[in-house]
Amino acid sequence: MIRAMDVQRWQAAAVPWWVTKVGLVGGWIVAFYFAASGGEAPCTTAHPCVPDPLFALAVVPLLATPLLLAFGRVLTGCGMGVLFGVLDVALDGSATANVAFGLHAGACAAVAAWTLRSRADQHDAAGTTLVSLPDVPPQRGVLRMVAVLLVLFGFLTFVQYDLTSGEIEQHEARASRVEAEVVEIKNTYEVWVELPDRQRAGFEPLAPESYQVGDAVPVLADGDWVRMANEPEDVTWWLTLGGAAVFLAVMLAARERRRRALWSGPVKAVRLQAVPVGARRVLLRHNGENIATVATLADLGLEEPLYHDTEQFGRVWRGEEDPPVRLDPPEVLVAGEWHHGGQVAVLVEGEVVATSTLSRVRSRHTVHSAHLPGEPVTAGTPVDLPHAVWPGDRRRTEGVLLLFAAAGALIAMKHYPDLFVLGFIGVQCVLSAVTRFQPMLRLDHRSVVLYTGVWTYRVPWAQVHGVRRSGPQLMIAFGPHGDVLTTPHLPDRQAGEKVMWARARSLLAEQPGERVTRKLNVSVFAGLAYVGLVLFT
């Protein structure tokens, strides 16, 4: 018999999500800021800035730490944070950087220990029932192939680094040291010099602001090959790229091994109710309480459709008809590593139908999990068409701050080009900022236009089923499949009534039927333009 789990103890044992996604990621940003602002010794002929291959490999755990923590890979992210803290103390001569990343490594170690203890407590609270999975583990999937390709790619980058560094050594062995004169500074970061033989060459030094026109710069020259003597050519980024590829391959291989390990012996199992909350996501519940979610590669088909057709769904959505009786959600057996982030197998009638990761329950997973969320909007408020609902002052202020953040990330990228994670942050800021200067929805005589972060939907009135209100948000159902979009907080409290009035007016006019159309939001093109600025400036 499958025993019930101790839900309250299982939930209480979990490490809060903000500890990693806010605390450790924010601590990494602070540590990097202090390390970057600590200052570095200038590159001179006596003490040149020699490329460091070991530190180039250490950049992999440096950049992997915030990304892994942000995407829920807690133990791996904490491990990378501790590893880079140790490497920074060993390789970096900056005391400020040593202290900053040393403290962050200590915090990562504490959270890792807390997470291990939490997972053990969650595993115990899940009960004592053990089962063996039927049949044999599935064949090795695409993850193994991807991991092999990544290892091959990493090997090729290491070979390329060896070949390129060998060519540089040959040039340096043949080169002569000469004094060149700075003749031009372009775009504040590109320094052009002229050699005694009138040959010109351009460089991008680490501190371009320290050079002035007329300065003498020692260079190494071997024919057309010219490099600064105090800043030798750095091609260690090949090592960073290859190290990142190999690290990602190891992660994929480890995940595949954990998945296949479920078949190696008896594993913990709990019987739960399964509520689909999307085409490929299932909410697991026990005694009416939300436990976790699992993502699947396909719809498991666990429940029968509630409505006979779209028209019935529309009538129920608008409150014109009582909803059909909903049966209790089906039960599934979930077996495996019973903690957040654990690998589990989902069994239906004794057959494994999916393997997945046990994830936390987010608000977006439960907004539409109720049978009918919110309250139907039935009354209509006349409005002059076309009509747009614009963001309030608060969202516009947020948009301005996000634009400043994106500009700050772009400026920081110019000084620290290796820190490409700032580019991802800047793109996200641009995407979020643009949506705050767009209408939240627009009504015209033929359709309603819904603006989301990535897509813009134009829905003919004949395809709009109705509107339900949940606080300051509206949930608009539309289309032949009853899709639902939830708006952000709307400053106009009568927006729902205006939508319903425009819908009723259009239906009375008997507008010809049209299809729902979707196109990319302008925010996507703004994000691509930002990516272009990052790559070409």
Side-chain angles (χ1 to χ4, degrees):
M1 179 179 178
I2 305 298
R3 293 187 178 181
M5 67 184 299
D6 188 341
V7 176
Q8 292 184 349
R9 181 186 168 196
W10 194 86
Q11 293 175 336
V15 176
W17 66 271
W18 54 264
V19 171
T20 54
K21 294 193 175 183
V22 178
L24 290 184
V25 174
W28 181 91
I29 294 174
V30 172
F32 182 83
Y33 170 79
F34 279 103
S37 61
E40 298 180 355
C43 304
T44 63
T45 306
H47 299 284
C49 298
V50 180
D52 189 345
L54 290 179
F55 195 81
L57 291 174
V59 171
V60 175
L62 168 65
L63 301 180
T65 298
L67 294 177
L68 291 170
L69 294 173
F71 285 97
R73 302 288 182 178
V74 179
L75 287 181
T76 309
C78 287
M80 292 296 100
V82 172
L83 175 61
F84 181 77
V86 173
L87 292 175
D88 188 80
V89 172
L91 303 176
D92 195 346
S94 172
T96 303
N98 294 161
V99 172
F101 283 108
L103 292 175
H104 185 260
C108 287
V111 173
W114 184 6
T115 301
L116 289 172
R117 177 65 182 179
S118 167
R119 292 185 172 186
D121 291 343
Q122 285 187 309
H123 190 76
D124 293 339
T128 58
T129 302
L130 299 177
V131 299
S132 295
L133 299 185
D135 303 325
V136 295
Q139 296 182 352
R140 300 184 186 273
V142 68
L143 290 183
R144 184 184 184 186
M145 183 181 300
V146 173
V148 171
L149 293 176
L150 286 172
V151 170
L152 178 61
F153 175 78
F155 173 76
L156 294 177
T157 58
F158 294 146
V159 171
Q160 180 63 38
Y161 166 76
D162 185 66
L163 294 175
T164 307
S165 59
E167 293 178 358
I168 294 174
E169 291 177 359
Q170 293 177 4
H171 281 297
E172 290 178 344
R174 297 192 301 262
S176 57
R177 184 186 298 266
V178 297
E179 293 290 330
E181 180 183 356
V182 177
V183 293
E184 186 180 5
I185 298 178
K186 294 182 179 179
N187 302 322
T188 71
Y189 65 87
E190 190 174 359
V191 177
W192 282 82
V193 300
E194 185 177 284
L195 279 65
D197 60 359
R198 301 299 181 182
Q199 179 183 356
R200 289 196 174 193
F203 306 110
E204 295 181 6
L206 297 176
E209 68 279 359
S210 62
Y211 293 87
Q212 302 292 333
V213 175
D215 290 349
V217 178
V219 298
L220 299 175
D222 179 25
D224 294 335
W225 185 90
V226 180
R227 296 294 183 271
M228 300 179 69
N230 59 337
E231 294 187 31
E233 184 176 2
D234 187 357
V235 294
T236 56
W237 60 272
W238 282 108
L239 295 177
T240 303
L241 184 61
V246 173
F247 173 70
L248 182 57
V250 172
M251 285 192 60
L252 294 177
R255 182 176 181 179
E256 178 72 7
R257 182 174 182 179
R258 286 176 58 195
R259 184 175 72 97
R260 295 178 63 83
L262 298 176
W263 278 264
S264 62
V267 290
K268 185 72 63 73
V270 180
R271 190 174 296 279
L272 301 171
Q273 291 182 322
V275 181
V277 290
R280 293 179 296 276
R281 184 170 292 276
V282 177
L283 174 68
L284 303 176
R285 311 190 75 190
H286 181 77
N287 292 336
E289 295 191 62
N290 298 330
I291 302 298
T293 62
V294 291
T296 61
L297 296 178
D299 190 350
L300 302 182
L302 295 175
E303 64 177 3
E304 297 294 329
L306 285 174
Y307 307 101
H308 298 298
D309 49 36
T310 307
E311 286 73 17
Q312 182 191 17
F313 167 77
R315 292 192 298 271
V316 173
W317 184 264
R318 293 188 298 272
E320 300 171 359
E321 179 180 317
D322 292 334
V325 177
R326 184 166 189 167
L327 302 176
D328 292 335
E331 286 192 344
V332 296
L333 188 65
V334 183
E337 302 172 339
W338 252 100
H339 55 74
H340 285 139
Q343 288 291 309
V344 294
V346 181
L347 291 85
V348 176
E349 298 180 354
E351 181 181 354
V352 177
V353 295
T355 56
S356 183
T357 302
L358 209 61
S359 303
R360 296 178 182 271
V361 179
R362 306 296 186 195
S363 58
R364 65 178 181 271
H365 299 153
T366 59
V367 169
H368 303 304
S369 63
H371 181 41
L372 288 173
E375 297 294 332
V377 178
T378 57
T381 299
V383 61
D384 293 332
L385 299 179
H387 176 75
V389 178
W390 291 89
D393 294 337
R394 177 178 178 180
R395 284 183 64 83
R396 284 194 291 266
T397 302
E398 292 175 353
V400 173
L401 295 177
L402 287 168
L403 288 178
F404 279 121
L410 185 61
I411 294 172
M413 280 283 292
K414 293 180 67 65
H415 295 283
Y416 306 100
D418 292 335
L419 197 64
F420 58 85
V421 69
L422 293 175
F424 292 109
I425 296 175
V427 170
Q428 184 61 49
C429 289
V430 169
L431 294 176
S432 300
V434 173
T435 59
R436 284 162 170 77
F437 295 105
Q438 287 182 304
M440 306 179 84
L441 57 89
R442 187 187 298 274
L443 315 177
D444 58 36
H445 295 279
R446 304 179 65 90
S447 61
V448 56
V449 181
L450 307 173
Y451 296 87
T452 67
V454 176
W455 301 102
T456 298
Y457 294 85
R458 178 173 291 276
V459 185
W461 288 116
Q463 295 281 355
V464 177
H465 303 302
V467 178
R468 299 182 74 90
R469 178 184 287 114
S470 178
Q473 294 178 293
L474 297 181
M475 286 163 282
I476 303 176
F478 64 92
H481 304 293
D483 297 325
V484 177
L485 280 182
T486 302
T487 68
H489 291 201
L490 296 175
D492 186 354
R493 295 183 178 274
Q494 299 296 317
E497 285 76 6
K498 294 176 181 178
V499 172
M500 293 303 292
W501 179 86
R503 175 182 179 274
R505 179 184 180 279
S506 174
L507 294 180
L508 289 175
E510 296 183 354
Q511 295 285 354
E514 298 179 10
R515 294 184 178 181
V516 177
T517 59
R518 184 183 70 172
K519 64 180 181 180
L520 289 174
N521 197 322
V522 67
S523 62
V524 175
F525 299 101
L528 293 176
Y530 185 87
V531 172
L533 290 176
V534 171
L535 296 177
F536 300 109
T537 61

